[in-house]
Amino acid sequence: MKIGIDTFGCNGGNSGVGMYLTHFLKRAAVTGTLFELFGWEYDRFSYSDYAPDFEFIPQCFIKGRTANSAWHLFKYPPFAKKRGFDACFFPAAHKRPPYNSPCPSVGVVHDMGAFWGTLRTREHLGALLRMVLPNSLRKLDRVIAVSEWVKSELVQRLKVDEKRIEVLQNGIDHSAFYPRPKTEEVLLIQPFSFRRPYVLCVSSIDHPVKNHIRLIKAFGIFKETTKYPHRLVLAGGDSNNADTVKEAAEASPWRGDIFFTGHFPSKSLPELYAAADFAIFPSMYEGFGMGALEAMACGVPVLCARAAALPETAGHAALYFDPLNVEDMADRMIAVTTNRDIHRECRRLVIERAASFSWDRCMDRTLQIIYETA
């Protein structure tokens, strides 16, 4: 049996979808099945540490989202037929699905963010992919949704057959993400230095979907009310309208306490989470909420927007707020810092909640679905 794996849209492993793919490859590498990876030439060695024996076949030599969408539309079918795949796996099917496949196809949908908000805010997909995506997802033989929220959107928005969708929640690497003692006043993670206490938000700087501007305003209310020395650390690379967010931070009276890290090295994220006083996720839309799960596994109190899949992921362990209400957001920030009983209870609940998520369970079932489909 030969299985093709599409690595387009996985950012060389440096994103949530990329992390998903690396965990899949770790599990697939020990099965004995013949897998072949295909993607951008510059990703040739991105996954070699996780699957050193898998062949990588460079494809689509014209860069850009539109060109890559066209490759999946016109070039993927003859490529897959020539390679003789028994099935093909698309870990980023919400961004790079095939339109037609000569072999059985399995795709993972991590979110439907491209259809969130108004037309002016839908910058996550190009016009070509936005046009063909609904029909492309309907044509997949099996669809893996990372949350019940995503499944409901696939059924209601895109009319994907519910019988072909299975919900498999993401896992967490408990060997990397776990509670650590908070002994140092200054956390050194090269090339950064963070003075505690700090509030942490891990997310790409993406306006308006990630809701950073309201977070900056809520942080201002928190500072004015408590007079606490907390800083706000925004860890994530620049994405859509990042300049707008940075302008809002610069205009804040508390701009000296707001710190942008840019893209943060994933191997150092557990330390950053574990040393935070609490983590906050104000997103208007999340298909799963990986950052919230990572923070929970590190034993950090979590504050979440009551939006999309975040309540499904964080369950009873988080403090929730209305993402459109700055005062409500600030109120939760004040509560978790001024009431240490709430803080301790949140720490207990998040550790308990995170323990129920497993990459092994997720990937074992994913492989089983691929084999069944092939």
Side-chain angles (χ1 to χ4, degrees), residues 14 189-192 235 261-272:
N14 296 315
I189 302 176
Q190 295 299 331
F192 304 105
T261 71
H263 173 72
F264 199 82
S266 56
K267 66 178 181 180
S268 300
L269 265 177
E271 293 179 74
L272 186 66

Side-chain angles (χ1 to χ4, degrees), residues 40-306:
W40 299 112
E41 169 65 40
Y42 52 75
D43 278 342
R44 176 184 289 275
F45 302 108
S46 296
Y47 306 101
S48 55
D49 288 344
Y50 312 104
D53 298 326
F54 290 179
E55 183 177 358
F56 187 93
I57 307 164
Q59 289 295 304
C60 189
F61 301 100
I62 302 176
K63 294 182 180 179
R65 184 169 54 192
T66 301
N68 195 233
S69 298
W71 182 89
H72 282 83
L73 191 62
F74 300 110
K75 297 294 186 179
Y76 161 74
F79 166 75
K81 186 174 183 180
K82 181 179 179 180
R83 299 305 302 177
F85 294 143
D86 294 293
C88 202
F89 180 51
F90 297 85
H94 60 301
K95 296 197 290 185
R96 297 293 187 273
Y99 190 74
N100 286 300
S101 181
C103 61
S105 54
V106 178
V108 184
V109 178
H110 295 265
D111 66 61
M112 293 297 296
F115 294 88
W116 172 85
T118 65
L119 287 173
R120 292 184 65 185
T121 64
R122 295 176 184 175
E123 300 182 21
H124 296 77
L125 297 179
L128 175 60
L129 186 53
R130 203 160 48 232
M131 180 174 61
V132 303
L133 181 66
N135 207 36
S136 296
L137 294 180
R138 286 194 289 266
K139 289 184 175 185
L140 291 170
D141 293 279
R142 299 287 290 277
V143 180
I144 295 171
V146 299
S147 65
E148 291 289 347
W149 176 272
V150 169
K151 178 181 177 179
S152 69
E153 290 198 304
L154 286 167
V155 174
Q156 294 170 18
R157 286 176 177 265
L158 303 191
K159 310 303 179 187
V160 177
D161 184 358
E162 185 174 3
K163 295 177 182 177
R164 292 190 286 109
I165 306 172
E166 182 164 338
V167 175
L168 291 178
Q169 291 184 315
N170 291 332
I172 188 73
D173 183 358
H174 291 282
S175 68
F177 294 90
Y178 58 86
R180 291 165 166 81
K182 298 179 181 181
T183 57
E184 302 295 333
E185 181 181 351
V186 177
L187 179 68
L188 296 175
I189 302 176
Q190 295 299 331
F192 304 105
S193 173
F194 303 95
R195 184 173 295 279
R196 298 181 52 240
Y198 60 83
V199 179
L200 179 63
C201 178
V202 178
S203 166
S204 59
I205 309 302
D206 189 344
H207 178 73
V209 66
K210 299 300 184 181
N211 210 18
H212 285 98
I213 291 179
R214 289 192 183 93
L215 172 58
I216 290 168
K217 292 178 180 178
F219 177 70
I221 296 173
F222 164 80
K223 292 285 286 185
E224 290 169 8
T225 304
T226 64
K227 311 301 182 187
Y228 285 177
H230 291 61
R231 294 166 177 80
L232 175 61
V233 176
L234 302 174
D238 289 355
S239 187
N240 298 308
N241 303 311
D243 289 346
T244 304
V245 176
K246 292 179 179 179
E247 288 168 6
E250 186 61 30
S252 169
W254 303 99
R255 57 185 174 273
D257 288 328
I258 301 173
F259 182 46
F260 291 86
T261 71
H263 173 72
F264 199 82
S266 56
K267 66 178 181 180
S268 300
L269 265 177
E271 293 179 74
L272 186 66
Y273 278 119
D277 197 43
F278 63 89
I280 186 165
F281 300 92
S283 297
M284 304 290 290
Y285 183 92
E286 293 286 349
F288 178 74
M290 197 65 211
L293 177 56
E294 291 171 341
M296 290 192 297
C298 291
V300 177
V302 168
L303 280 57
C304 283
R306 194 178 290 105

